[in-house]
Amino acid sequence: MKIQIKVSEIAIAFTCIFSTLSFAEENPSLPPVQTQGQTQFISGGIGKDESEAILKARGSWSLMLELTQAADPRPRYISDAQITIKDALNNTVLDTTVEGPYLLVKLPAGKYSLDATYNATTLHRKLNLQKGPSEKVTLVWPAAKKD
């Protein structure tokens, strides 16, 4: 019985690890999975195909960030924001510059702090990720100042 449980636990772990990789291979429009320490993430969303691929993949990631800046008549998507996510012990689990308006991140359930900086303005958020469906956080920076 113990052997069956351990084998099934190993099989589940491998399935979780390789499902992300196989999804990226199945959808060539999806940006590559990157790893920083124990944290996997995908950054991008430039162009219709890449945006649609990221939105489709969202369900298998614990966190999705959508980055926008206030504009008239509606917010506009942005890229090149600096994202830092820290766990409850204040350890940095992700520190990256986003290469598009979307960031998908795989994190275990728990409490995190998020700092997102764009054009010298930093937004702060507290996150409480649960097991189950992914959490979507939309960040909206203030409108650009007109000259």
Side-chain angles (χ1 to χ4, degrees):
M1 185 70 163
K2 283 186 176 181
I3 293 173
Q4 286 180 325
I5 293 172
K6 289 185 180 188
V7 169
S8 65
E9 288 174 359
I10 291 169
I12 291 169
F14 277 114
T15 300
C16 291
I17 290 168
F18 291 111
S19 67
T20 302
L21 298 175
S22 65
F23 187 85
E25 290 170 2
E26 289 173 20
N27 191 339
S29 296
L30 193 65
V33 174
Q34 300 177 58
T35 303
Q36 194 175 97
Q38 300 293 315
T39 304
Q40 289 185 321
F41 64 99
I42 292 177
S43 171
I46 303 295
K48 184 179 180 195
D49 290 346
E50 195 171 288
S51 291
E52 288 176 353
I54 287 174
L55 293 172
K56 189 175 180 180
R58 173 187 171 197
S60 61
W61 296 80
S62 55
L63 176 64
M64 176 182 176
L65 298 181
E66 180 180 52
L67 312 175
T68 65
Q69 183 175 39
D72 191 29
R74 66 179 192 276
R76 66 178 187 88
Y77 289 117
I78 61 170
S79 63
D80 301 318
Q82 180 65 36
I83 304 294
T84 303
I85 300 175
K86 295 184 178 185
D87 65 15
L89 299 174
N90 208 34
N91 297 311
T92 300
V93 294
L94 182 64
D95 189 12
T96 190
T97 300
V98 181
E99 299 170 358
Y102 298 112
L103 178 66
L104 298 175
V105 186
K106 279 201 188 216
L107 293 168
K111 295 185 180 195
Y112 298 88
S113 65
L114 165 70
D115 289 333
T117 303
Y118 178 72
N119 283 349
T121 300
T122 301
L123 304 178
H124 307 280
R125 299 289 185 273
K126 297 290 183 191
L127 306 173
N128 187 7
L129 301 180
Q130 306 292 322
K131 287 185 179 181
S134 67
E135 181 166 337
K136 179 182 177 185
V137 176
T138 299
L139 300 170
V140 183
W141 277 266
K145 294 180 182 177
K146 295 181 180 179
D147 293 331

